[in-house]
Amino acid sequence: MGRGFAQAALALLILAGGIYLLQNSPVGLQPDTSEPDSLPGSYLRDVRLSLYDVNGALRDVLSAREVDYFSDRGARSELVEPRFYSHDGDLKTWSASAREGEMFHRAEVLKLRGDVTLIQDEYGSTMKSQAMTLQVAEKIAFSNVPVTITRGESVLRGGQMRANLKDERFRLSNQVETVYVQE
């Protein structure tokens, strides 16, 4: 009985010493608490979210293959293969897609990256870029990297773009190039 007691006491002493060392160890051995958790608070797969205005009319639809939600980072979600549909109430819609994106929920800002495509559904105008930001509530899209806009065989290119999805107007700037083909 004396030997079993001694082994248990030694194990308890080692455990207590380990806990003490972990709590009082140099910074390199302690968990990094300066950054928010890198793990999502929740995650969803094959998501479709419909947003409605105050009158109950469909406003926007956001879908994604994967959504990782981080509440400790200002209510932000990382999206895989996001698709966004914007409705303006007059049956005019815009749809956007990309390889990945980030949704900043409080600010209602959607940042898209990788093979971004924004389509004006009624006329079939297509804007393509490698990065684009959508201000969801204001229905504004902008890109600070090169954008190519096509409609039929006509092509417009610019280094930057800003589009108002409500009134269907866009502005290209910085090295604008146009090839117009009459339909």
Side-chain angles (χ1 to χ4, degrees), residues 11 19 30 44 51 75-76 88 99 104 109 111 116 119 125 133 153 160 166-167:
I19 291 172
Q30 291 180 345
L44 302 166
L51 303 170
R76 179 184 69 86
D88 73 352
R99 282 190 312 219
F104 297 88
V109 171
K111 292 187 175 194
V116 179
I119 300 171
S125 300
T133 299
E153 294 182 38
Q160 297 176 333
K166 287 184 218 174
D167 65 11

Side-chain angles (χ1 to χ4, degrees), residues 44-158:
L44 302 166
R45 301 299 178 250
D46 298 319
V47 177
R48 183 178 175 97
L49 172 66
S50 299
L51 303 170
Y52 297 88
D53 67 15
V54 293
N55 299 318
L58 182 62
R59 189 182 88 181
D60 303 307
V61 176
L62 176 64
S63 66
R65 188 167 57 87
E66 295 179 16
V67 177
D68 294 333
Y69 177 76
F70 298 88
S71 61
D72 62 335
R73 295 185 184 178
R76 179 184 69 86
S77 293
E78 293 179 1
L79 311 166
V80 175
E81 295 179 12
R83 297 193 180 286
F84 177 74
Y85 306 93
S86 176
H87 299 262
D88 73 352
D90 289 332
L91 301 177
K92 294 180 183 175
T93 62
W94 290 80
S95 51
S97 63
R99 282 190 312 219
E100 59 186 33
E102 286 181 281
M103 181 67 185
F104 297 88
H105 300 282
R106 290 185 187 124
E108 290 192 62
V109 171
L110 176 61
K111 292 187 175 194
L112 301 172
R113 293 180 306 278
D115 299 327
V116 179
T117 302
L118 179 64
I119 300 171
Q120 196 286 336
D121 296 323
E122 184 178 0
Y123 301 112
S125 300
T126 302
M127 299 178 191
K128 292 188 177 239
S129 183
Q130 286 304 310
M132 193 174 296
T133 299
L134 301 171
Q135 295 172 331
V136 176
E138 295 86 10
K139 298 197 182 295
I140 301 289
F142 62 91
S143 178
N144 292 322
V145 298
V147 175
T148 300
I149 301 173
T150 58
R151 182 172 174 196
E153 294 182 38
S154 298
V155 178
L156 295 141
R157 289 185 182 90

Side-chain angles (χ1 to χ4, degrees), residues 10-23:
L10 181 62
L12 191 58
L13 183 61
I14 291 172
L15 180 62
I19 291 172
Y20 174 80
L21 286 175
L22 283 175
Q23 290 176 343

